[in-house]
Amino acid sequence: MNTRTLLAPLTLALGVVLALPAFAAHDAQTFVNKAAIGGLFEVESSKIAQDKAKDQKVKDFAQKMISDHGAANAKLQSIAGEQKLQVPGEPDAAHKSDLEKLQNTGDGFDQPYVEMQRSAHTDAITLFQSYAKDGDNATLKAFAAETLPTLKMHEEMVEKIASGMPAAADAGMPAVKSASSPKPAGPVPGANSFTETQAMSRIQNAGYSDVSSLAKDDNGIWRGQAKKDGKNTSVALDYQGNVFGGQ
């Protein structure tokens, strides 16, 4: 058997791994990496918010993030140590970039901080739900399941804060509609700053599975294929966060 034949299955397997959604983490070390980095970002971004936020509700929310995520980070650190797993000591490049954006934001700080928190909690809930269901480490699965209600509570809190704010104008942040806004009849064109991972997460949270072939069109709308109720369908996500099937 030649080298090319031997490498073919490995190449195929690697391609399958790389095709998985970025937020899916069923092995212990990957979960710890993503959960720790996300938790660090929550704490560090909220420390900045304590200094720069204008709205007292945003300051209060930031303090709760520091407290709750600080406790969760400490618990994760302890569990990871017991399981002989490594814990990242600092955010990754993408989160560092977001922290720099917040640090360099002037008077309009509250809006981008809140939008970052909405996206961060969407990703965190997807990560923790996935690992609580299919993770490979019983202790970490229990941690993920125990932490989920707190993450969902945070999401409700930040959605309530966001509902009282005007639509985000910064093209560098996901401009998500407020919870009280009625859903339009179809995707709304506009500058869409959702990443592919965030777009996939929001589509899956809307009840779709097997999301694939996501691409942003000329109107700023993420379009792709998915499955819902056992049927294949096209799917779309606009810059406000509205999800539409059959588009």
Side-chain angles (χ1 to χ4, degrees), residues 163-207:
S163 68
M165 289 181 162
D170 184 351
M173 308 295 173
V176 188
K177 71 183 182 66
S178 71
S180 61
S181 301
K183 184 175 180 179
V188 180
N192 193 322
S193 55
F194 286 110
T195 66
E196 183 177 351
T197 297
Q198 291 168 342
M200 184 175 290
S201 176
R202 287 186 177 275
I203 291 169
Q204 290 183 324
N205 286 344

Side-chain angles (χ1 to χ4, degrees), residues 91-237:
D92 59 10
H95 286 90
K96 283 182 179 179
S97 176
D98 285 341
L99 289 171
E100 288 176 6
K101 289 178 183 177
L102 289 176
Q103 194 67 65
N104 294 329
T105 299
D107 292 338
F109 176 88
D110 290 17
Q111 183 95 54
Y113 168 73
V114 168
E115 295 299 341
M116 281 187 183
Q117 289 296 319
R118 296 177 85 178
S119 295
H121 279 88
T122 294
D123 291 346
I125 288 170
T126 300
L127 172 68
F128 277 66
Q129 280 180 333
S130 175
Y131 197 82
K133 179 182 177 183
D134 298 317
D136 61 353
N137 181 293
T139 305
L140 285 170
K141 284 182 69 174
F143 166 75
E146 291 166 3
T147 307
L148 260 175
T150 301
L151 295 175
K152 291 180 178 179
M153 176 187 67
H154 293 168
E155 184 179 51
E156 290 178 3
M157 291 173 65
V158 76
E159 288 294 336
K160 186 175 181 179
I161 293 171
S163 68
M165 289 181 162
D170 184 351
M173 308 295 173
V176 188
K177 71 183 182 66
S178 71
S180 61
S181 301
K183 184 175 180 179
V188 180
N192 193 322
S193 55
F194 286 110
T195 66
E196 183 177 351
T197 297
Q198 291 168 342
M200 184 175 290
S201 176
R202 287 186 177 275
I203 291 169
Q204 290 183 324
N205 286 344
Y208 294 85
S209 62
D210 298 336
V211 183
S212 63
S213 304
L214 278 179
K216 195 186 301 182
D217 69 14
D218 293 339
N219 291 317
I221 297 167
W222 281 101
R223 297 185 182 276
Q225 298 297 314
K227 184 178 292 186
K228 190 171 187 180
D229 300 326
K231 298 179 181 178
N232 294 322
T233 183
S234 56
V235 67
L237 172 82

